[in-house]
Amino acid sequence: MKRIVNCPSCRPEAPIEAVHCPQCGQPLPRQLFAPGEVLAADYEIIRILGRGGMGEVYLAQHQLTGQQVAVKVLALHLSDDLDLRIRFLDEARILARLDHPNVVMLHNFTAEQGRLCLFMQYVDGESLDRIIEREGPLGPEAAAALFAPVCDALHHAHEHGIIHRD
């Protein structure tokens, strides 16, 4: 298995052991979980997918079935905040209530090594910023085609009394 980390500045892959990006020289992030670590007894971390204000998201693979999942982890510096822990748990409960083709499925919720983890359906694809970087600003028709499924998912959430705040 290839053990890599993505540079947050210029995005190419680098070996997990690297301290600086080989392309731009920026420091590479240290992660909550390292590739090869096993979570929930059966899911092996493959690589980090991204990070945000609340934590990090990893690609993991079930060791027996090969199923890939996204694992969202609450950041360590936030894990002592009871309100944020409750919001993270609420996110799991909300995902568990929604059944829609444009909403990722929740597989599991655990506390791993004191860290709250959401195990969700992994959807491989390209981010909107990458599409715009490659193709430039979207025209009205392309934007409408791209956002129609998002609007369908938001409508489904609203029908279940859920308001998306991001």
Side-chain angles (χ1 to χ4, degrees):
M1 173 190 348
K2 188 176 175 187
R3 294 169 53 100
I4 59 158
V5 65
N6 290 92
C7 174
S9 299
C10 66
R11 303 208 188 272
E13 296 177 350
I16 191 67
E17 302 81 21
V19 175
H20 293 91
C21 175
Q23 183 168 322
C24 72
Q26 291 294 317
L28 292 171
R30 297 298 101 205
Q31 304 165 187
L32 293 170
F33 294 116
E37 277 189 69
V38 177
L39 306 180
D42 296 314
Y43 289 92
E44 183 175 348
I45 297 292
I46 305 295
R47 64 183 167 91
I48 192 164
L49 294 172
R51 47 175 56 78
M54 291 286 287
E56 298 175 343
V57 179
Y58 294 86
L59 175 63
Q61 183 169 313
H62 192 275
Q63 292 179 314
L64 296 177
T65 66
Q67 178 191 36
Q68 292 189 327
V69 296
V71 183
K72 185 175 182 179
V73 185
L74 185 63
L76 283 178
H77 69 283
L78 302 176
S79 62
D80 289 335
D81 185 321
L82 182 59
D83 289 337
L84 291 177
R85 290 176 70 85
I86 290 169
R87 276 183 49 194
F88 202 76
L89 177 57
D90 285 345
E91 182 176 345
R93 289 179 175 143
I94 288 167
L95 280 175
R97 288 179 22 210
L98 296 177
D99 182 16
H100 189 274
N102 299 326
V103 177
V104 296
M105 268 189 337
L106 177 71
H107 293 303
N108 200 357
F109 178 87
T110 67
E112 292 287 328
Q113 304 165 25
R115 299 173 184 132
L116 299 182
C117 302
L118 294 171
F119 290 75
M120 303 175 290
Q121 174 185 4
Y122 172 64
V123 179
D124 190 19
E126 191 173 20
S127 66
L128 180 59
D129 62 338
R130 287 270 178 104
I131 293 170
I132 292 171
E133 184 180 295
R134 184 184 67 243
E135 297 179 14
L138 300 177
E141 288 178 13
L146 191 65
F147 284 98
V150 175
C151 292
D152 286 343
L154 284 172
H155 178 71
H156 178 73
H158 292 170
E159 287 180 328
H160 287 81
I162 297 163
I163 306 296
H164 193 291
R165 298 185 305 177
D166 275 344

